[in-house]
């Protein structure tokens, strides 16, 4: 399984080391030194995964990750952030931006390849047969339908998108603003309490299945989807 992996890193030594490791791991590395080069590489062909340095000239890795999460083309491309020691505290904001994993510099080729493998496996589980599952819940993406234990559920279009987002981003807390950004898109002006309305509707839709508690309120922060209470 040859994967096209985009490395966005401004330090040539690290870029070369990573590219060498990727080739050894059977992948096809593509280089970019900053956001502009990365955009050009993505336009040419969307990569299977992006390795993104945190500190870059121009737009930071975090800004790029946020941008890519919003754009249709790159929305589902897994991102692994390469951070320097000391930037660990910023991880929370990274996770909120939809980054899939972190590797702290200096890292070994073996560690990097293991993380890549794990992240790719996770994203493949979601898309192999065009369905996403969490416990008894399953979304058939091609048919745009939600099932609970084989029983089809009636879910409105916004609740569907909300549930799909939650199931593909389980066990993470999202603020209302972030959910608006992801589900409604950054361009639309919608009030934050709109999110609460749709969360209520989604819970109601899940009620007959007894799975409504998977949509959890995190007091003072926002919402989380989780199979554990
Ligand atoms: Ca850098």
């Amino acid at each position: 399984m040859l994967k096209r992996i985009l490395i966005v890193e401004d330090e040539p030594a690290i870029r070369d080391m990573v590219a060498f490791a990727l080739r050894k791991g059977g992948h096809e590395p593509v280089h970019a030194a900053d956001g502009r080069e990365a955009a050009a590489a993505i336009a040419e062909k969307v990569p299977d995964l992006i390795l993104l340095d945190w500190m870059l000239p121009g737009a930071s890795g975090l800004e790029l990750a946020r941008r890519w999460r919003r754009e249709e083309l790159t929305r589902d491309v897994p991102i692994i952030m390469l951070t320097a020691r000391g930037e660990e505290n910023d991880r929370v904001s990274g996770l909120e931006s939809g980054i899939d994993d972190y590797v702290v510099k200096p890292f070994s080729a073996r560690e990097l390849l293991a993380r890549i493998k794990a992240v790719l496996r996770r994203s493949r589980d979601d898309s192999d047969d065009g369905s996403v599952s969490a416990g008894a819940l399953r979304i058939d993406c091609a048919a745009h339908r939600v099932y609970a234990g084989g029983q089809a559920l009636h879910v409105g279009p916004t609740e569907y998108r909300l549930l799909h987002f939650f199931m593909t981003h389980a066990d993470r807390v999202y603020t209302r603003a972030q959910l608006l950004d992801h589900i409604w898109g950054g361009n639309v002006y919608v009030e934050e309490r709109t999110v609460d309305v749709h969360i209520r509707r989604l819970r109601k839709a899940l009620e007959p299945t007894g799975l409504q508690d998977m949509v959890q309120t995190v007091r003072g922060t926002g919402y989380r989807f989780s199979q554990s209470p």
Side-chain angles (χ1 to χ4, degrees), residues 9-11 53 55:
E9 165 68 75
D10 57 318
E11 287 160 66
D53 183 29
M55 297 293 284

